Amino acid sequence: MPHVDTRTALSASRSVLVRVAAVVVLLAIWELLVLAEFWPPAILPGPGQVWNQLLATSDAGNGQGGYAGSTVVERLGVSLRRVGYGSAYGVLIGVGLGLVMGLVPLVRAVTEPFVTFLRALPPLAYLSLLVIWFGIDEEPKVYLLMVAAFPPVAVATAAAVTGVNRQYVEAAHALGASRANVVTTVILPASAPEILTGVRLAVGIAYSSVVAAETVNGADGIGGMVLNAQRYNQTAVVMLGLVVIGVTGLLIDTAILALQRALSPWRGLA
């Protein structure tokens, strides 16, 4: 209906304006703290210094190839590739395992403690073990992000599957649907919103773990830039890396939310 579309558009516009205003206020507070000189610039550089570092590290012809041989865009691409692979593997494993956990109580009883155990471990806790097993190339980084990503998806999928209304399943069986058809046409569509919430959490956890993943031979990523800048007390570069990670993480999260709304438009409607 037209009035519903108009109301939705106004609500979306209001939400965007509120978010933009929040960012402006945050930048203003940041600049005021710098101007008030609560901390020296070496401890808290201003937004202008961080912006200058963005321009400098984005310039491949600045004599340093951007920053230590790579521009910030190139570094971001490397990190996003790692996060993409790790998240994709983690989501595939998590959805598959969570689906089996939700459908087979015995499997859930056996695997749930293991999944919970992994979910409780911080990524740095098993990074050293992955390095021993797989060396210092790309494998341990991707596997670390994969292990970080799959528990939230598995838990969310299992909970979503077990929470599907049994009446829907029984009605499908009564109409002659096979078990496979019930899973694909009833259980998965009904579980999709909760599964995507798990995916959203998983991708966020994987992205937040990229700095830990790049502590081992990961100098070519955005996390590697942050770690390298920290060694030389380049606070503005460190803050630039954090801002880049945060902004791109926000964009990825927004894209997942849009996908969730597209696949389950009935969610959140009054």
Side-chain angles (χ1 to χ4, degrees):
M1 297 174 64
H3 71 278
V4 174
D5 293 338
T6 302
R7 188 169 55 195
T8 302
L10 289 174
S11 177
S13 300
R14 190 181 302 114
S15 177
V16 170
L17 289 175
V18 169
R19 293 180 183 184
V20 170
V23 172
V24 171
V25 169
L26 178 61
L27 290 174
I29 293 174
W30 182 3
E31 185 65 32
L32 288 174
L33 289 175
V34 173
L35 293 175
E37 297 184 350
F38 284 107
W39 296 279
I43 301 297
L44 181 66
Q49 291 176 271
V50 175
W51 175 256
N52 290 335
Q53 285 297 333
L54 173 62
L55 298 178
T57 55
S58 300
D59 182 10
N62 64 355
Q64 300 181 30
Y67 181 86
S70 300
T71 66
V72 68
V73 174
E74 292 169 341
R75 292 176 175 278
L76 179 61
V78 170
S79 295
L80 287 176
R81 186 188 70 238
R82 290 167 177 158
V83 172
Y85 280 124
S87 298
Y89 294 147
V91 168
L92 287 174
I93 295 172
V95 170
L97 179 60
L99 186 60
V100 176
M101 288 171 63
L103 295 173
V104 185
L106 178 60
V107 173
R108 181 168 187 169
V110 172
T111 59
E112 194 168 38
F114 172 71
V115 173
T116 303
F117 173 79
L118 282 180
R119 190 159 57 96
L121 287 177
L124 280 174
Y126 45 84
L127 176 59
S128 299
L129 184 61
L130 292 174
V131 170
I132 293 173
W133 285 350
F134 303 107
I136 60 173
D137 293 327
E138 286 298 292
E139 287 85 355
K141 304 176 187 62
V142 173
Y143 291 151
L144 180 142
L145 299 177
M146 178 188 72
V147 175
F150 101 84
V153 183
V155 171
T157 302
V161 170
T162 56
V164 173
N165 193 323
R166 293 295 99 186
Q167 292 181 345
Y168 299 156
V169 176
E170 292 169 1
H173 280 305
L175 292 172
S178 65
R179 185 174 179 84
N181 286 336
V182 170
V183 171
T184 56
T185 61
V186 177
I187 293 178
L188 281 178
S191 305
E194 286 75 17
I195 292 174
L196 285 172
T197 298
V199 171
R200 182 185 176 194
L201 293 173
V203 173
I205 292 172
Y207 202 9
S208 66
S209 303
V210 72
V211 176
E214 292 179 345
T215 57
V216 177
N217 196 29
D220 54 347
I222 196 75
M225 184 185 78
V226 170
L227 293 169
N228 187 68
Q230 174 262 323
R231 294 189 187 101
Y232 298 101
N233 292 327
Q234 297 172 323
T235 313
V237 178
V238 173
M239 296 194 72
L240 170 63
L242 298 180
V243 169
V244 169
I245 292 172
V247 170
T248 51
L250 178 62
L251 293 175
I252 293 170
D253 187 71
T254 301
I256 296 174
L257 277 175
L259 177 63
Q260 187 175 22
R261 293 192 187 101
L263 293 179
S264 53
W266 64 89
R267 298 279 292 186
L269 295 179

